[in-house]
Amino acid sequence: MPNLSLNSAMRILITGGAGFIGSHLCKRLSEKNEVVCMDNLLTGKKSNIDGLNVEFLEQDITEPFDVNADLVFNMASPASPVFYQKYPLETLETNSAGIKNVLENARKYNAKVVQASTSEVYGDPKLHPQPETYWGNVNPIGPRSCYDEGKRFAESLCMNYHTKYEVDVVLARIFNTYGPNMLKKDGRVVPNFICQALKNEKISVYGNGEQTRSFCYADDLVEGLVLLSEKGRGGEVYNLGNPREYTILQLAEQVKEACNSSSEIDYRGLPEDDPIKRKPDIAKVISETGWNPKVELKEGLSRTVEWFRGVC
Ligand code: UDP
């Protein structure tokens, strides 16, 4: 397989390019490359890519397409629990028929693929922190299964295209990520808390707030994806996330401080199958690509709050 280097201009297809992480990738890569941004705008927003030098194609990846590219980032899929539970069948379709179309297109053009997988493949993990070798603990028929099992199926399809057709595909298991361009109503914890804190409304902590997540700032995550496109080995899986772990209550306090807010905590029911803890083991991506997230939660929240001020 050719060793790709983003130092020379390439033609890059970013599916889900108008979504949260996809739009940051479009921005990062369109400065030096020809970028095609494909999105069906189900949960993405055209305004996320306004002013960027990208070609936009309004297209659902579940419909066949033909786009010549050297490199593909498949970021297409609803990704927040609220949205994938609102669109469960679309989520399953995107992560089965959709990824098949992405892989067929890559096979035709001999393109490398970076597949956006997820920490959700580990479900509610029994092993902590989670290394790539962990097989996970997923409820196959629970409310999160459309996403968890969808992404697990997508990983399997990628691996089998790699083995059978030698498609150069790298799997990136993305852990909780936050930053500008998240939808204020996508239901994830960071936009929820920031919008509540900015309006001095009660902060909705689900359960007792002792469950943990590890939050990676969008710019860091995007650098990780770019490095994986350059140095990631085909047929391999890499965790991408910030290993600094916080309880949801600690996050609420940090958000209050970043917003200078007087909001009180409002404890609500814990959603079914909500993972109790999550923290990536990132030794593999560090040793193979040199990636390491740099932005501390305090700094990342402060940048995110500034962006949300005009949005909430
Ligand atoms: N959460 C919360 N309040 C909210 C939204 C989420 O306490 O308003 C909790 C949720 O129960 C979970 C964590 O925050 O334990 C992260 O949730 P999110 O939806 O952001 O992503 P997940 O990691 O569950 O996919």
Side-chain angles (χ1 to χ4, degrees), residues 2 9 14 27 67 71 75 136 190-191 210 222 241 247 269 294-296 300 304 310:
I14 303 177
K27 184 164 184 235
V67 175
L71 173 62
M75 313 305 294
V190 170
E210 292 302 323
V222 161
T247 68
K294 296 187 183 74
V295 183
E296 299 285 346
T304 310

Side-chain angles (χ1 to χ4, degrees), residues 199-220:
K199 294 193 254 177
N200 289 316
E201 289 172 356
K202 289 185 174 174
I203 294 186
S204 56
V205 169
Y206 301 159
N208 60 9
E210 292 302 323
Q211 70 272 35
T212 69
R213 294 293 187 274
S214 307
F215 297 96
C216 189
Y217 189 64
D219 289 356
D220 277 337

Side-chain angles (χ1 to χ4, degrees), residues 120 144 176 188-189 192 204 206 211 213 248 274 278:
E120 287 282 331
R144 296 173 87 105
N176 295 67
R188 279 182 280 198
V189 68
N192 273 9
S204 56
Y206 301 159
Q211 70 272 35
R213 294 293 187 274
I248 295 306
D274 198 286
R278 185 184 287 155

Side-chain angles (χ1 to χ4, degrees), residues 189-251:
V189 68
V190 170
N192 273 9
F193 284 7
I194 290 179
C195 286
Q196 290 160 345
L198 284 175
K199 294 193 254 177
N200 289 316
E201 289 172 356
K202 289 185 174 174
I203 294 186
S204 56
V205 169
Y206 301 159
N208 60 9
E210 292 302 323
Q211 70 272 35
T212 69
R213 294 293 187 274
S214 307
F215 297 96
C216 189
Y217 189 64
D219 289 356
D220 277 337
L221 200 278
V222 161
E223 282 315 304
L225 289 169
V226 170
L227 278 170
L228 281 183
S229 75
E230 293 175 343
K231 299 182 177 170
R233 289 178 296 134
E236 290 289 327
V237 54
Y238 300 85
N239 285 338
L240 275 188
N242 190 320
R244 185 79 201 272
E245 185 181 11
Y246 293 87
T247 68
I248 295 306
L249 262 183
Q250 286 170 332
L251 176 74

